[in-house]
Amino acid sequence: MSDQERKEGGIVFKGRTEAIYKVIVIGDPAVGKTSLLTKFATNQFEEKYLPTVGVQILKEPIELKDHDATVTLMFWDIAGQPQFYMLHRPYFNGADAMLLVFDITRSSTFSNVNNWYSAAVKYGLSGIPRILIGNKVDLAEERKIILPMAEHLSEKLNAPYLETSALTGENVNLVFDKIADLVYNSKENYR
Ligand code: GDP
Ligand code: MG
């Protein structure tokens, strides 16, 4: 490969991939982590709750809107159940970005975002790009977390806030475009 063709990081250039970036998807059980990934990857939605067992990994190339490049992201979707907490180290290890997900209809999932973020910090991930996601906006009548609350947390965590629905697909593609963009920009120094 010539120098011209060579690019560092998970950027596809002339059809070649140099690396894949790791994005962890964290948040309480049943907030919709798996559903968001499934909606994004297959445009399908599963109403039945099928708890993730262990870790599920999804690899997706994402074309950047503002650059002539594609970033390949590997999403790590963890089981939220405590019996899988022993998987946390390999799960968090070496992550390049994170999606912090809560369910706008359940307050406990919102307050637990702080705990998930603290766990990430404990594994040395305080500097990586992140997005705060309030999922299930289609359940408007059951909403417990109003916008100002989420925006306050968003500022505290220095993570842009997006509201999504894995059911309707609202803002789902936006989340993935945004995280790809944040990863791309965060790796700028290496290109
Ligand atoms: P995870 O444990 O965070 O991976 O959550 P899942 O993706 O397995 O979703 C948990 C439950 O919430 C499932 O029954 C999903 O069908 C449902 N769910 C996920 N996202 C949404 C959403 O945006 N709207 C609604 N109404 N239900 C959702
Ligand atoms: Mg899951």
Side-chain angles (χ1 to χ4, degrees), residues 5-173:
E5 284 174 304
R6 176 168 275 290
K7 288 268 173 176
E8 282 299 321
I11 316 297
V12 176
F13 192 72
K14 295 196 175 167
R16 290 171 189 274
T17 309
E18 293 292 311
I20 299 170
Y21 295 120
K22 175 176 177 178
V23 181
I24 54 174
V25 187
I26 51 184
D28 276 2
V31 294
K33 300 181 295 297
T34 303
S35 298
L36 286 167
L37 287 173
T38 304
K39 185 72 183 178
F40 171 66
T42 69
N43 206 27
Q44 309 275 315
F45 179 77
E46 174 64 60
E47 239 171 81
K48 227 170 58 212
Y49 179 34
L50 309 164
T52 308
V53 175
V55 176
Q56 222 161 257
I57 298 175
L58 171 77
K59 192 182 116 191
E60 283 287 328
I62 301 176
E63 272 177 48
L64 298 175
K65 293 264 180 315
D66 303 330
H67 306 271
D68 187 18
T70 299
V71 176
T72 301
L73 299 180
M74 188 163 52
F75 294 93
W76 289 50
D77 173 21
I78 205 177
Q81 291 75 10
Q83 64 265 38
F84 293 109
Y85 280 9
M86 79 272 191
L87 293 176
H88 276 186
R89 180 174 293 281
Y91 183 75
F92 283 93
N93 233 347
D96 298 294
M98 64 180 128
L99 302 177
L100 290 152
V101 189
F102 68 92
D103 172 350
I104 62 146
T105 73
R106 287 186 294 142
S107 299
S108 59
T109 70
F110 177 69
S111 43
N112 275 334
V113 167
N114 282 305
N115 300 334
W116 285 101
Y117 182 70
S118 299
V121 170
K122 198 177 83 187
Y123 290 108
L125 303 178
S126 58
I128 64 172
R130 47 194 170 263
I131 298 179
L132 177 64
I133 299 169
N135 187 41
K136 308 198 187 181
V137 281
D138 56 285
L139 302 174
E141 286 175 6
E142 296 170 44
R143 182 191 277 269
K144 300 286 183 323
I145 305 304
I146 56 171
L147 202 56
M149 296 166 75
E151 283 173 343
H152 183 255
L153 182 61
S154 158
E155 271 172 41
K156 186 180 141 191
L157 300 180
N158 192 18
Y161 178 58
L162 288 173
E163 296 198 326
T164 57
S165 167
L167 192 156
T168 66
E170 184 176 342
N171 281 346
V172 172
N173 286 338

